[in-house]
Amino acid sequence: MEEPPVLCLAIVGRDGGLLFFRSFRRSVPPDADDLELQLLLHSSLDQVEAQLQHVAQALQKGEAKSFDPYLGILSPALFDAEDCNIYGYVAATRIKVLAIVRDGACQKRRDEEAILRSMLRQLNLLYIDAATNPFYNGLGKAFASSVMRIVEQHASAFG
């Protein structure tokens, strides 16, 4: 059974704590703690901080005019003997949306980047809507099903 292009997704708080994690691997239950994938995601947080620091310095020096929350590929990864890439998106609140995607999921890297930019942005907006809800009581089943819907929509675009 072939794995989907997006292996997992995580929303990480400003302190590095895991707020939400979902594995899309078909070989494990959806609510399982896939520790190896979580470890890969956490190892990419140093890359996120390095990129944020680089952008802050560029903005200070006037070399950049604005900050793009989409970070692109943070690092390559090897999972189950398959090449993968870790993509990142950072909100102004320093909430991070990270995804592990199988390498070569799209024929063209530019298409892959466009799909992931859109997906991570929508997932960030979904989190903002949930977190700013006055009746917010955690990221429950409704949030998880919305995440699944967004990922499936974008996964179909990989082709």
Side-chain angles (χ1 to χ4, degrees):
M1 180 181 336
E2 187 175 318
E3 293 290 346
V6 179
L7 295 178
C8 73
L9 174 92
I11 298 176
V12 180
R14 64 184 314 139
D15 62 350
L18 197 60
L19 301 174
F20 178 83
F21 176 81
R22 175 70 188 251
S23 173
F24 300 102
R25 295 176 53 216
R26 292 186 177 98
S27 58
V28 295
D31 57 347
D33 286 339
D34 206 331
L35 295 178
E36 191 174 351
L37 288 173
Q38 287 185 32
L39 180 64
L40 288 172
L41 289 170
H42 278 285
S43 68
S44 70
L45 291 177
D46 289 337
Q47 290 297 322
V48 170
E49 292 304 318
Q51 284 195 22
L52 291 176
Q53 191 174 34
H54 177 72
V55 167
Q57 289 172 350
L59 287 170
Q60 220 171 25
K61 294 178 184 176
E63 296 170 357
K65 295 184 187 212
S66 66
F67 171 69
D68 183 9
Y70 176 72
L71 301 175
I73 295 178
L74 297 172
S75 67
L78 186 65
F79 179 74
D80 276 352
E82 185 174 13
D83 289 329
C84 300
N85 292 312
I86 302 173
Y87 287 84
Y89 187 98
V90 178
T93 57
R94 306 216 11 137
I95 299 295
K96 301 151 197 81
V97 182
L98 304 173
I100 297 181
V101 179
R102 288 186 305 121
D103 192 34
C106 266
Q107 297 291 352
K108 296 181 180 175
R109 178 74 66 194
R110 184 177 20 233
D111 295 341
E112 189 171 307
E113 291 276 337
I115 293 166
L116 284 159
R117 178 185 294 269
S118 171
M119 182 182 81
L120 294 177
R121 182 179 178 279
Q122 284 185 19
L123 290 165
N124 180 59
L125 292 174
L126 178 68
Y127 174 76
I128 290 170
D129 285 345
T132 57
N133 181 343
F135 303 107
Y136 172 77
N137 62 352
L139 302 176
K141 290 183 180 186
F143 182 81
S145 66
S146 295
V147 166
M148 187 69 175
R149 181 181 41 77
I150 291 171
V151 171
E152 285 175 350
Q153 281 177 340
H154 287 83
S156 66
F158 281 103

